[in-house]
Amino acid sequence: MLPKTAGVVVIGGGVMGASTAYHLAARGCRNVVLLEKHEFLGAEATGKCAGGIRYQFSTEINVRLSLLSLPMLERFEMELGQSIDLRWPGYLFLLDNARDLATFRANVAMQNRLGAPSRILSHDEVAAKAPLLQLDDIVGGAWCARDGLADPNGVVQGYAAGARRQGAAIFTGVAATGIRVKAGRVTAVETTQGAIATPAVVDAAGPWAGQVAALAGVDLPIAPIRRQIVVTTPLAGIPDDFPFVIDFSRSLYFHREGGGPEGRGILTGQSNPDEQPGFDQSVDHAWTEQHLEQAMARFPLLERAGLLREWAGLYEVTPDAHPVIDGLADPAGFYIVAGFSGHGFMHGPIAGQLIAEMILDGKARSLDVSQLRFSRFAEGDLVQEHNVV
Ligand SMILES: Cc1cc2nc3c(=O)[nH]c(=O)nc-3n(C[C@H](O)[C@H](O)[C@H](O)COP(=O)(O)OP(=O)(O)OC[C@H]3O[C@@H](n4cnc5c(N)ncnc54)[C@H](O)[C@@H]3O)c2cc1C
């Protein structure tokens, strides 16, 4: 049975919602309720993502989010008692022209200044890290040994279990269908199972965050954009330390997937630059074909692999590829933690903590996230991130 009242209602049971519920409850916030429309948590963007975690971004705010969030993943198992299959194979950006190399050189200098241990590699250093790749056109790379991978489902389940232990109530199979606002303040959330009176609502609905914001009369520019992933059958010869490789100008990436006795497969994705916004999550097989052709050109060993699994999920893309982490003045009590534009899994831990601080302390205390305020869209004060794949 849904409660009739709540201190905070969190809408969405992906990494953002689960982290928010946990951080609120762990701070002693009573009557936290999380609603997820699917029967299972983490079934959307979070469960469909590639699991990559990295410091290598092109804006300070994203690097600062990583500097706080990745250590939270390192402490995760100790804090929450849930294994998240954390590993640190490093991220290797392949760069095929002098302009990108110069941009990444400047990014690496900024990352180093903030404390992230990334560096620029020569062609030969790239070849040493990724000898299986075809690198004739590559002029250099960017590398960070402290970038890696974690299991998104483990993170969602760990936060959800932690939130429940601290008294939060989590309801799956319940969708938010309306948000009541009275005199400029949120007063209740309507759901498929009745209304919950509440003074605070968190929009953590990922690709659907724009729809949820509209329920409160808020025009939030977050576009759902389909992105696809292919996992190959196991291949002999993939080393244990195969890095997360991003072929930057092709928006193409690879990382090792699985590690059973039968060998290791490769997970690969490529962003279709012509993909139009929409909620379609069926696999576009024509795109898979193009993607695999480019993947094999870069990684010839893949010609010997079969296709084990493929799926499509949705990025949640804002006009400047940065999230909104904010509490609104109108309506008061409406909080947004959404729009991470395809790299939100890794920032979920700190984002949930920051929203909890906004609700409980009146402002974010761990990091100044005023750049990520909702009003920047109306003000035209955008922050552009270039390291998006
Ligand atoms: C193919 C792909 C690869 C990616 N790779 C990476 C990566 O390597 N690293 C990385 O950091 N990020 C990656 N991302 C991005 C990452 O997955 C997202 O940024 C992150 O998971 C967003 O989390 P979320 O909780 O906001 O959204 P979601 O996980 O989508 O959660 C939102 C939830 O809200 C629920 N919901 C929506 N509307 C309602 C409603 N009305 N009522 C109740 N519930 C509702 C949805 O069902 C959903 O479960 C990738 C994404 C995709 C699609």
Side-chain angles (χ1 to χ4, degrees), residues 11-323:
I11 301 174
V15 68
M16 297 304 157
S19 171
T20 300
Y22 169 70
H23 285 102
L24 282 168
R27 290 270 317 266
C29 180
R30 296 293 109 218
N31 301 325
V32 176
V33 170
L34 183 149
L35 306 176
E36 166 54 50
K37 67 180 176 182
H38 288 304
E39 292 302 325
F40 298 101
L41 298 173
E44 288 295 350
T46 304
K48 293 171 182 171
C49 90
I53 59 178
R54 60 176 154 118
Y55 291 98
Q56 294 190 73
F57 281 100
S58 74
T59 62
E60 286 200 19
I61 188 69
N62 272 336
V63 177
R64 289 185 195 282
L65 287 169
S66 293
L67 283 165
L68 291 169
S69 210
L70 271 54
M72 292 169 80
L73 290 169
E74 285 185 80
R75 297 193 297 269
F76 197 92
E77 185 166 356
M78 212 172 59
E79 185 177 336
L80 286 134
Q82 164 80 45
S83 139
I84 56 167
D85 200 15
L86 197 60
R87 50 197 170 98
W88 304 100
Y91 260 63
L92 174 63
F93 281 88
L94 306 179
L95 306 172
D96 64 5
N97 65 81
R99 219 186 77 198
D100 283 349
L101 190 57
T103 305
F104 272 75
R105 205 178 285 287
N107 292 345
V108 161
M110 177 270 288
Q111 292 154 11
N112 292 170
R113 177 167 53 78
L114 297 182
S118 51
R119 63 191 175 94
I120 290 292
L121 302 184
S122 66
H123 170 95
D124 290 353
E125 288 171 313
V126 171
K129 295 229 176 283
L132 296 172
L133 302 188
Q134 197 296 108
L135 298 169
D136 288 352
D137 57 332
I138 295 304
V139 297
W143 164 256
C144 179
R146 296 300 296 157
D147 292 346
L149 289 157
D151 166 30
N153 283 314
V155 172
V156 171
Q157 296 309 331
Y159 276 141
R164 283 196 188 99
R165 281 195 300 274
Q166 306 276 358
I170 295 180
F171 296 90
T172 56
V174 181
T177 54
I179 295 174
R180 290 184 202 152
V181 175
K182 217 181 210 169
R185 286 205 67 87
V186 163
T187 59
V189 174
E190 293 162 5
T191 81
T192 43
Q193 296 185 17
I196 308 172
T198 183
V201 173
V202 180
D203 180 353
W208 293 268
Q211 290 185 346
V212 166
L215 299 177
V218 174
D219 183 12
L220 177 62
I222 291 183
I225 309 262
R226 175 169 58 177
R227 292 290 180 240
Q228 301 190 173
I229 283 182
V230 168
V231 178
T232 72
T233 52
L235 279 160
I238 308 287
D240 215 12
D241 60 354
F242 185 85
F244 194 130
V245 176
I246 299 186
D247 182 343
F248 184 65
S249 66
R250 286 167 194 77
S251 273
L252 170 67
Y253 60 87
F254 310 95
H255 73 67
R256 170 170 81 71
E257 183 78 351
E262 69 288 356
R264 304 177 176 103
I266 290 292
L267 179 151
T268 172
Q270 185 177 28
S271 299
N272 178 351
D274 298 324
E275 189 70 54
Q276 296 304 307
F279 289 99
D280 181 5
Q281 297 195 64
S282 62
V283 171
D284 172 354
H285 294 287
W287 179 252
T288 304
E289 242 174 71
Q290 284 191 44
H291 161 205
L292 290 182
E293 209 169 284
Q294 296 217 22
M296 285 186 282
R298 178 62 72 202
F299 195 166
L301 191 64
L302 293 184
E303 283 168 23
R304 292 197 223 146
L307 194 155
L308 183 67
R309 283 190 298 143
E310 63 179 326
W311 66 87
L314 298 172
Y315 275 16
E316 14 46 310
V317 180
T318 63
D320 61 4
H322 279 75

